[in-house]
Amino acid sequence: DGEMRVVGFSGALPEFLGADSESLYARPVEDLLGRELFGEGSGFRQAVLDGQRREGWRATIRDESGQEQTVSISVGPISEASHCGASGARLSIMVRIEEEPEERSENSFRGILARSPSMRRIFRLIDLLSDNDSTVLVTGESGTGKELVARALHETSHRKEGAFVAVNCAALPSELMESELFGHVRGAFTGAIRDKPGRFEIADGGTLFLDEIGDLALPLQAKLLRALQEHEFERVGDTRTRKVDVRVIAATGVDLSQAVSRREFREDLYYRLRVVPIEIPPLRERREDLDLLIRHLLKRIGKARGRALRLAPYAIRALLAYRWPGNVRELENALEYATTVCEGQTIHVGDLPAEIGQRGKVDLLPPNNTAEVEADLHHPTEPITEDGGVQSTGGLNLSPVETEEVARIRVALKQARYRREEAASLLGMSRTTLWRKMKEYRM
């Protein structure tokens, strides 16, 4: 009711909670689903009391024995929940018990999710290198997960108890990078007020990961080569030679062989780093991994944001059709964006970044109907004949996102031969949600 007290419930609730039905009447909802969402003064509570819908939010429900379980809840005005007619009811709360399967172990390797043959070959190579201290050069486009592979190499090696120290060679100018790698002594330069160990010393007994190695300045490349070959170096401003036991893993997104031919990278250092080369394929070349990564990332992002979201079929198809030039990093950012802008529990094509959603538009129908889809998307308010079952949306001032949603609904209705239940399934929403949207858009 308006005081957020329970006035009615399905028979499943007391059974799930192990509670007596009488004890649930007039009980504050915050007792069942937590103060974070339903406590006095929470923005969520005020929003739903103001008549707004909230779909796919995560909450924790506690049974009578004190056991807690994460659930997905959707809250809306009672007028939209005709199945519930309890006296004084103002809001309806749908609780879904979500038991999502864990990622299968054969698809996970040291925090890397993949099932494609190309990635499995990399996993096998990492296993083979577990007792080997050879220098490894990891290459691949930006966002493919080069540091994840480097960490997996460290965690499977006999050095796993030692430190994993990462350095971005593109992050600092050369005069500071030398001190970062090898350290300095007091007075070596202005601002050097005390001795400072470098990353080589910090990584002694462990692994040093040199990311973006292609951006290392030429003078520093000579000093790095000596450190790799002799396992010794001097701090900046010092004459004492220090020895370390460090395994080096380097990574780059540029073609070092071309950099060598342009005399921008030392040839001897290139071959010293490239003892064991590992090339990570871009996401567009291992599309078998896409659905696995999408499910995992959406679950992780949703959990961090307190949402339990799912993808509409057309949104999934748009994600699978896109080429992902930014690889896994771009995929993660796209899902984070969609989670932010999605108002319901289902992410639709219109919730995806524009460059991905545009590709998704042509996947609404089979290829031979592409022209019809494009026509609908460009003329979403054009009337359809009476027997078509869809009326004009004329007179409404729709935003671009709303216009696109109208087009998607019209296309789905056509494909489902105007059977709303089938169209709702194609759109990834409930039949009542589709009916509500059709009324809003005067369809």
Side-chain angles (χ1 to χ4, degrees):
D1 62 11
E3 300 297 324
M4 285 291 184
R5 295 170 304 192
V6 176
V7 294
F9 45 85
S10 73
L13 184 65
E15 181 180 349
F16 175 74
L17 295 175
D20 178 76
S21 296
E22 292 300 320
S23 68
L24 296 178
Y25 285 107
R27 191 164 175 178
V29 175
E30 64 188 75
D31 286 358
L32 301 174
L33 295 170
R35 292 187 54 81
E36 185 177 356
L37 294 180
F38 292 100
E40 288 281 355
S42 81
F44 185 94
R45 173 178 174 139
Q46 190 57 51
V48 296
L49 284 174
D50 288 343
Q52 299 179 31
R53 290 186 60 83
R54 289 292 185 268
E55 297 181 13
W57 286 76
R58 289 186 182 272
T60 300
I61 192 167
R62 178 181 298 178
D63 63 22
E64 292 298 293
S65 66
Q67 292 292 319
E68 294 184 347
Q69 182 169 344
T70 300
V71 295
S72 165
I73 64 168
S74 297
V75 187
I78 201 64
S79 59
E80 297 183 15
S82 57
H83 62 277
C84 182
S87 176
R90 182 170 170 185
L91 299 169
S92 172
I93 303 178
M94 174 68 74
V95 181
R96 293 182 179 89
I97 311 300
E98 303 216 333
E99 298 179 357
E100 299 182 28
E102 296 295 322
E103 285 89 9
R104 295 168 62 182
S105 58
E106 62 264 32
N107 295 330
S108 177
F109 181 87
R110 299 287 173 175
I112 306 172
L113 292 177
R115 62 163 67 99
S116 59
S118 57
M119 289 302 294
R120 289 195 173 281
R121 284 193 291 270
I122 292 176
F123 297 163
R124 285 196 295 271
L125 180 56
I126 293 173
D127 273 334
L128 290 172
L129 293 171
S130 59
D131 295 321
N132 194 311
D133 274 347
S134 296
T135 305
V136 179
L137 178 63
V138 184
T139 58
E141 295 179 5
S142 175
T144 50
K146 296 185 287 293
E147 184 168 346
L148 284 177
V149 169
R151 288 185 180 275
L153 284 162
H154 171 72
E155 291 169 3
T156 56
S157 74
H158 63 92
R159 295 176 176 271
K160 61 184 178 182
E161 302 301 327
F164 178 87
V165 180
V167 183
N168 188 329
C169 298
L172 294 172
S174 57
E175 58 271 16
L176 295 180
M177 183 55 68
E178 182 177 1
S179 169
E180 189 72 17
L181 289 175
F182 305 116
H184 62 255
V185 296
R186 180 181 177 184
F189 50 82
T190 303
I193 59 176
R194 62 175 66 89
D195 291 358
K196 177 189 173 184
R199 298 300 180 96
F200 265 92
E201 287 180 77
I202 296 172
D204 193 14
T207 302
L208 179 64
F209 174 55
L210 301 176
D211 198 9
E212 304 295 347
I213 190 69
D215 292 328
L216 196 66
L218 279 168
L220 263 180
Q221 292 178 24
K223 295 185 178 183
L224 176 60
L225 178 63
R226 181 194 169 209
L228 289 173
Q229 290 177 335
E230 308 298 333
H231 298 284
E232 60 184 34
F233 62 92
E234 291 86 33
R235 288 181 179 179
V236 177
D238 198 5
T239 56
R240 173 189 165 193
T241 298
R242 301 169 187 268
K243 281 193 169 289
V244 289
D245 175 25
V246 173
R247 191 229 192 134
V248 172
I249 301 172
T252 181
V254 302
D255 189 335
L256 287 186
S257 62
Q258 291 187 9
V260 169
S261 65
R262 295 192 302 265
R263 298 180 180 274
E264 296 173 357
F265 200 85
R266 291 179 63 106
E267 185 177 21
D268 48 4
L269 177 58
Y270 170 60
Y271 288 112
R272 185 65 185 82
L273 291 170
R274 196 178 176 273
V275 176
V276 179
I278 295 179
E279 183 177 359
I280 306 176
L283 198 52
R284 62 183 172 274
E285 294 179 8
R286 48 187 180 101
R287 307 196 74 83
E288 309 99 308
D289 298 334
L290 255 177
D291 62 329
L292 190 69
L293 290 167
I294 289 168
R295 288 200 312 271
H296 171 76
L297 291 172
L298 184 62
K299 179 180 177 182
R300 190 180 75 185
I301 294 168
K303 187 174 182 180
R305 290 177 173 247
R307 304 287 302 277
L309 300 178
R310 55 178 178 259
L311 287 157
Y314 298 147
I316 294 175
R317 290 165 68 176
L319 291 170
L320 294 177
Y322 188 62
R323 287 183 59 79
W324 301 109
N327 296 291
V328 182
R329 184 180 295 121
E330 184 185 11
L331 172 61
E332 183 172 10
N333 290 342
L335 291 173
E336 189 159 351
Y337 171 86
T339 303
T340 301
V341 303
C342 177
E343 295 181 353
Q345 191 169 8
T346 302
I347 294 173
H348 299 285
V349 176
D351 297 320
L352 299 173
E355 63 275 12
I356 301 169
Q358 289 293 327
R359 177 58 191 261
K361 289 177 183 177
V362 299
D363 289 329
L364 290 170
L365 288 177
N368 61 324
N369 289 322
T370 299
E372 182 182 355
V373 175
E374 292 296 338
D376 270 339
L377 289 166
H378 286 95
H379 304 286
T381 59
E382 183 179 302
I384 297 178
T385 56
E386 187 65 26
D387 59 350
V390 181
Q391 300 296 322
S392 169
T393 54
L396 289 181
N397 184 20
L398 301 180
S399 70
V401 171
E402 291 170 330
T403 300
E404 186 175 308
E405 183 168 51
V406 169
R408 287 202 310 272
I409 292 173
R410 294 179 76 238
V411 170
L413 286 165
K414 283 184 179 181
Q415 185 173 351
R417 298 182 180 275
Y418 305 98
R419 290 188 287 267
R420 283 201 300 272
E421 189 164 352
E422 290 184 24
S425 178
L426 289 171
L427 291 164
M429 62 178 67
S430 69
R431 186 176 184 276
T432 54
T433 299
L434 173 59
W435 179 240
R436 174 171 56 83
K437 288 181 178 292
M438 291 174 67
K439 287 197 295 183
E440 288 176 0
Y441 295 135
R442 303 179 188 173
M443 298 175 69

